[in-house]
Amino acid sequence: MLRSTGQSTARRRLTHVRQGLWRFSGRQADLAIKLFDGSNATERFRTEAALYRELGREGAPVPGLIATHEESIALARTWVPGSTLYEHLLADVPPNQYAAGTVRDAWRQLTNALTPWDARIDPTRRLAARRKRRMEVGAVAQAIADCFPTIPAEAIHDLRETVVAADLAVLPLDASPSNIILDGDLVTFIDLELLGLDFADWTYGKYVTAIDEAGAVRSLAASHPDDPAPGVDAAITLLALARAAGLWDAPRIEPKALAGLLPGRSLASRRILQSLGLESNVTSDSG
């Protein structure tokens, strides 16, 4: 693999970062070496390499691809310095409005660069994917309703319908704040080995929402310089409630821990806060 990058193996300095990922620090290069294994390893390897290659040409916020090695199912990309958004969200001082705006702008750059990929999708496949994604979001909403029976069912329904009303787009599916690296003004999306159709606001919500060891939900939406789009507000509220309900192997959160963490900007979100006893003054549906 290192020979494919043009680096001298005699002077190599490799550091193990985590499973499947190594850092090579040479005199003229600082690289991440990623090895793929498990199910669909070759497909995931080719997808990530193609995304780095093609999106990089468009100036999208992704690492530069240096080399690939088919036999090893491995790639070398530029090492991205900085800290993950996950680490920033869990820090004592959360990201400020400037950082939130920078991440949002980088997300728009990424999705715009993926537009040509989206145009290649067959309409029949798009319809099938839309049915599947609607069912997935619906299952999350139902699990929330089962866990929090005091929440008005119509409020959860409104959030779900706001999320699934949008069109699908080709997006990275491994959406996590651990896959966004911040280094000053630079934002980089990494680990793009899974690509598919999903709702953009739902995916963005996954990228900018984290949960700490105590089970508290933290989202970049709280620091947005302006109100998030309705779909983002609804997505992050659903994701926060899903984590509170203990979905995805997360510890269940007591309702009081959600105070100040749910976006709470939409009427549905504010009604949910009230139903959980977290907000005393909420406009009713009748005005």
Side-chain angles (χ1 to χ4, degrees):
M1 182 71 239
L2 285 171
R3 290 190 180 92
S4 300
T5 70
Q7 303 301 316
S8 171
T9 58
R11 294 193 301 269
R12 72 179 184 269
R13 184 160 64 89
L14 282 170
T15 304
H16 184 249
V17 179
R18 54 179 168 80
Q19 183 176 358
L21 184 66
W22 298 76
R23 181 177 183 177
F24 169 77
S25 300
R27 290 184 178 180
Q28 298 179 337
D30 194 5
L31 307 176
I33 310 296
K34 184 172 180 179
L35 285 73
F36 296 76
D37 62 6
S39 61
N40 302 317
T42 300
E43 180 182 353
R44 292 185 286 110
F45 153 69
R46 290 174 177 168
T47 297
E48 186 158 6
L51 283 173
Y52 288 158
R53 183 183 299 110
E54 295 193 27
L55 297 185
R57 292 170 183 163
E58 300 298 320
V62 301
L65 180 68
I66 305 301
T68 60
H69 197 269
E70 289 275 352
E71 290 79 5
S72 302
I73 320 180
L75 63 79
R77 61 164 174 80
T78 54
W79 177 263
V80 182
S83 304
T84 66
L85 176 58
Y86 181 81
E87 293 171 307
H88 283 271
L89 288 171
L90 299 189
D92 292 337
V93 179
N96 56 26
Q97 287 189 353
Y98 179 79
T102 301
V103 171
R104 182 190 55 193
D105 291 344
W107 167 249
R108 289 172 176 167
Q109 283 183 287
L110 178 65
T111 54
N112 287 339
L114 284 167
T115 299
W117 295 66
D118 189 75
R120 304 170 190 171
I121 303 299
D122 179 85
T124 302
R125 180 184 172 192
R126 188 181 297 276
L127 285 173
R130 182 172 181 80
R131 287 193 293 269
K132 180 179 180 181
R133 298 307 182 201
R134 284 181 62 91
M135 290 178 59
E136 290 173 352
V137 178
V140 171
Q142 185 59 53
I144 293 169
D146 292 342
C147 183
F148 298 111
T150 61
I151 294 179
E154 61 271 22
I156 299 176
H157 173 81
D158 288 347
L159 293 176
R160 181 189 69 223
E161 289 304 303
T162 300
V163 169
V164 303
D167 292 332
L168 294 183
V170 172
L171 301 165
L173 298 184
D174 191 8
S176 163
S178 295
N179 289 335
I180 297 179
I181 306 295
L182 304 182
D183 182 28
D185 292 340
L186 297 178
V187 177
T188 307
F189 289 79
I190 62 171
D191 289 352
L192 305 180
E193 60 188 69
L194 298 176
L195 192 70
L197 289 163
D198 209 341
F199 299 107
D201 290 339
W202 183 243
T203 302
Y204 179 73
K206 294 177 182 178
Y207 264 123
V208 300
T209 304
I211 182 168
D212 65 18
E213 292 183 356
V217 177
R218 303 193 184 190
S219 176
L220 198 64
S223 301
H224 272 188
D226 48 27
D227 286 349
V232 173
D233 179 277
I236 294 176
T237 303
L238 278 178
L239 288 166
L241 289 169
R243 284 164 170 76
L247 272 65
W248 304 308
D249 297 323
R252 184 168 174 174
I253 306 171
E254 293 299 318
K256 63 182 180 181
L258 293 172
L261 297 173
L262 294 180
R265 292 179 170 91
S266 69
L267 177 59
S269 298
R270 289 184 286 122
R271 289 190 67 199
I272 288 171
L273 286 170
Q274 184 186 46
S275 69
L276 293 173
L278 304 176
E279 185 172 293
S280 58
N281 298 312
V282 179
T283 304
S284 68
D285 286 340
S286 61

